[in-house]
Amino acid sequence: MARSNRRTLLTLLLVWFLATVNMLDASSTLKRFEFRKVLMGVVARIVVYAPDREIAAWACSRAFQRIADLEDLMSDYRPHSELMRLCAEGHLAPFRVSDDLFFVLQRALELSQRSNGAFDITVGPFVALWRRARQTKQLPSEEELHQARQLVGWDKIQLDPENRTVKLAVPNMKLDLGGIAKGYAADCALKVLKRFGLSRALIELGGDIVLGDPPPNRKGWRIGILDEKGKPEKFLELTNCAVSTSGSTEQFVEIGNRRYAHIVDPRTGLGLTKLVLVTVIAKDGITADSLATALCVLGEKEGRKLAEAYGAIAFFRERDL
Ligand code: ADP
Ligand code: MG
């Protein structure tokens, strides 16, 4: 007993000594590794600094698996995802969901309230009309928009934190987490890497980037802020935060000389028609991702106030089409 205590003490002393001379992190011996995988409809990319390839590959495979598991819960393309089951049954009785889904729903509703409904995950029926318009090159009719509107509105979702249940006010609602789930998934992936002791990491999921500690001997990760043509107009060195970009410049449908973006204005039910690209730097991925989408709808004046309220920084590039 005494001997094992002494051994523990010696080990602790050694750890303390190594830590003070900055050898535990062994920054200089860390190597850069990069892995990619298609997840959540985009190329997920992880850059990580690790002592060797084996540790890096194993940790990253667990991080990718975490993202894949979240996709299983939150996809609106997979008929059996937890989200889709909630949409099918949530109007009948309070529907119990996972911690992950509940957390994302909570954060989404909080942002809906603080953005006066600019961010609204109940826009699924409008998004479905937009997806059809992209194929047929025809805008939805007034009647179709009216029908869809009956299913939209964040006040139609009721959360019960005590029982972790969700109740939907009407049948046939379509919840769409496309504006928030990737940021959350990137946060979760970083947590997995940290559990393996790999905190010097960058996770990129489409336009959403989450950053851990910086690369060895650097102050931060060099992140390019894009101009509206998609070219970096300036670079920032960032750590332990998230950067998300949303906008109307990449995904849109052109009908009658107008562009309608994949981000929907919940007030009109139609895709945004202004050229807008918003980059948000916030404390974590779920905040940056959802804020970037909200700020596209709100525009610069209102958007800046909201970003400030979240302690985030926003870059706007905006003009009417
Ligand atoms: P991307 O998914 O292209 O990175 P965003 O994070 O801005 O871009 O998310 C856009 C997606 O969010 C849309 O494809 C749609 O699924 C969903 N969405 C569209 N309009 C809204 C809105 N007003 N509020 C919340 N989510 C929205
Ligand atoms: Mg977003």
Side-chain angles (χ1 to χ4, degrees):
M1 179 68 185
R3 184 178 287 182
S4 84
N5 268 346
R6 204 174 325 135
R7 205 176 310 140
T8 314
L9 189 66
L10 277 175
T11 316
L12 281 173
L13 273 173
L14 185 64
V15 167
W16 172 79
F17 172 73
L18 289 174
T20 40
V21 296
N22 199 19
M23 280 178 63
L24 260 193
D25 183 41
S27 286
S28 51
T29 62
L30 291 177
K31 288 193 279 291
R32 182 186 189 278
F33 298 96
E34 183 170 339
F35 301 91
R36 288 163 197 255
K37 195 167 179 165
V38 175
L39 288 163
M40 294 188 147
V42 294
V43 178
R45 189 167 76 98
I46 300 182
V47 180
V48 69
Y49 286 83
D52 65 54
R53 169 165 286 275
E54 221 167 56
I55 296 175
W58 175 245
C60 288
S61 78
R62 300 318 301 159
F64 284 136
Q65 187 56 50
R66 177 78 169 110
I67 300 173
D69 291 345
L70 288 170
E71 186 177 9
D72 277 342
L73 293 180
M74 299 186 195
S75 166
D76 63 325
Y77 280 97
R78 300 186 179 180
H80 300 297
S81 71
E82 188 177 38
L83 183 77
M84 293 298 268
R85 282 187 283 120
L86 165 64
C87 291
E89 299 166 36
H91 64 289
L92 299 170
F95 187 93
R96 196 173 161 85
V97 295
S98 61
D99 286 333
D100 284 316
L101 183 55
F102 196 83
F103 178 72
V104 172
L105 292 175
Q106 246 176 344
R107 290 295 302 269
L109 290 190
E110 183 202 315
L111 181 56
S112 297
Q113 197 198 356
R114 293 176 73 173
S115 67
N116 284 323
F119 186 83
D120 188 339
I121 56 165
T122 65
V123 291
F126 290 147
V127 173
L129 290 174
W130 179 88
R131 284 178 187 161
R132 198 194 62 192
R134 185 167 54 171
Q135 279 167 358
T136 63
K137 300 274 187 272
Q138 290 225 313
L139 286 179
S141 68
E142 266 311 313
E143 177 54 25
E144 284 169 323
L145 283 170
H146 174 76
Q147 292 294 331
R149 204 160 282 132
Q150 311 311 307
L151 311 175
V152 175
W154 59 275
D155 56 347
K156 295 186 171 73
I157 305 178
Q158 250 171 30
L159 301 183
D160 174 352
E162 226 156 79
N163 297 306
R164 220 203 306 126
T165 58
V166 187
K167 179 79 171 53
L168 303 179
V170 289
N172 300 320
M173 286 175 67
K174 284 197 176 77
L175 307 186
D176 180 335
L177 300 178
I180 190 168
K182 289 202 287 295
Y184 178 64
D187 286 336
C188 294
L190 179 61
K191 274 198 191 133
V192 172
L193 297 178
K194 282 184 173 168
R195 258 193 268 127
F196 283 89
L198 306 184
S199 62
R200 298 180 184 276
L202 171 154
I203 292 130
E204 183 180 358
L205 267 171
D208 302 301
I209 300 172
V210 168
L211 304 169
D213 292 335
N217 308 317
R218 293 258 303 275
K219 282 210 303 281
W221 296 88
R222 197 158 176 264
I223 303 293
I225 307 294
L226 306 180
D227 66 14
E228 67 258 34
K229 295 195 190 80
K231 293 222 176 69
E233 66 181 355
K234 60 170 141 284
F235 287 92
L236 300 174
E237 296 238 310
L238 301 168
T239 71
N240 293 306
C241 65
V243 187
S244 284
T245 302
S246 282
S248 57
T249 56
E250 268 185 29
Q251 286 207 59
F252 54 81
V253 49
E254 214 164 301
I255 301 172
N257 279 336
R258 276 213 118 142
R259 283 179 176 189
Y260 298 87
H262 74 314
I263 299 174
V264 167
D265 186 335
R267 290 163 294 197
T268 62
L270 296 174
L272 297 183
T273 52
K274 61 187 171 186
L275 188 133
V276 56
L277 196 65
V278 178
T279 299
V280 172
I281 305 175
K283 67 177 190 326
D284 55 21
I286 191 169
T287 311
D289 184 7
S290 54
L291 259 185
T293 309
L295 266 46
C296 287
V297 179
L298 281 178
E300 183 159 359
K301 200 158 156 261
E302 290 295 304
R304 282 208 186 283
K305 279 190 228 154
L306 185 64
E308 221 167 88
Y310 270 92
I313 300 170
F315 298 87
F316 282 84
R317 276 78 76 211
E318 207 173 311
R319 90 176 119 84
D320 280 327
L321 283 176

